Amino acid sequence: NKHWNWKGGITPENKKIRNSYEYNIWRQAVFQRDNFTCQFCGEKEKVSGKLQADHIKPFALFPELRFELSNGRTLCIDCHKTTDTYFWKLNNVNKERGRFLFL
């Protein structure tokens, strides 16, 4: 608690969830269902080791779907970066209202 970056022992909710056992089980289930293969380009993890479990509907906006298998897909890092929701670089955002526009 004497460290300059101490914030009273709080951990952001997002970090807690993404480091949870339930989240890890969800990730592994997505990978297994997709046969450890990128759903966009077909790259296999055994070749690249760069696969990620992507939430189709964003993690932050749809908390009820965070652990829903049907809301996940396996993508390689390069393909994941092309999605509208990757790392908050959103293409479908109404910047004036700060809201997602899902059509």
Side-chain angles (χ1 to χ4, degrees), residues 26-35 53 69 72-74:
W26 175 82
R27 276 181 78 247
Q28 290 305 313
V30 170
F31 291 154
Q32 288 174 354
R33 183 204 58 209
D34 295 340
N35 198 26
L69 189 58
R73 62 186 169 196
T74 302

Side-chain angles (χ1 to χ4, degrees), residues 14 17-18 23 26-27 30 52-75 80 83-86 102:
N14 182 17
I17 293 169
R18 289 187 186 268
Y23 186 77
W26 175 82
R27 276 181 78 247
V30 170
Q52 298 179 340
D54 174 45
H55 286 88
I56 298 165
K57 291 191 177 181
F59 180 92
L61 298 178
F62 295 89
E64 70 279 6
L65 298 176
R66 287 178 179 165
F67 303 114
E68 185 66 42
L69 189 58
S70 63
N71 188 41
R73 62 186 169 196
T74 302
L75 298 177
H80 194 188
T83 64
D84 291 344
T85 57
Y86 179 76
F102 289 101

Side-chain angles (χ1 to χ4, degrees), residues 79-96:
C79 289
H80 194 188
K81 288 178 182 178
T82 68
T83 64
D84 291 344
T85 57
Y86 179 76
F87 199 62
W88 294 106
K89 295 175 185 171
L90 304 168
N91 295 327
N92 295 330
V93 174
N94 179 334
K95 292 183 181 180
E96 293 177 11

Side-chain angles (χ1 to χ4, degrees), residues 10-17:
I10 61 167
T11 301
E13 185 75 17
N14 182 17
K15 191 171 188 174
K16 282 182 188 177
I17 293 169

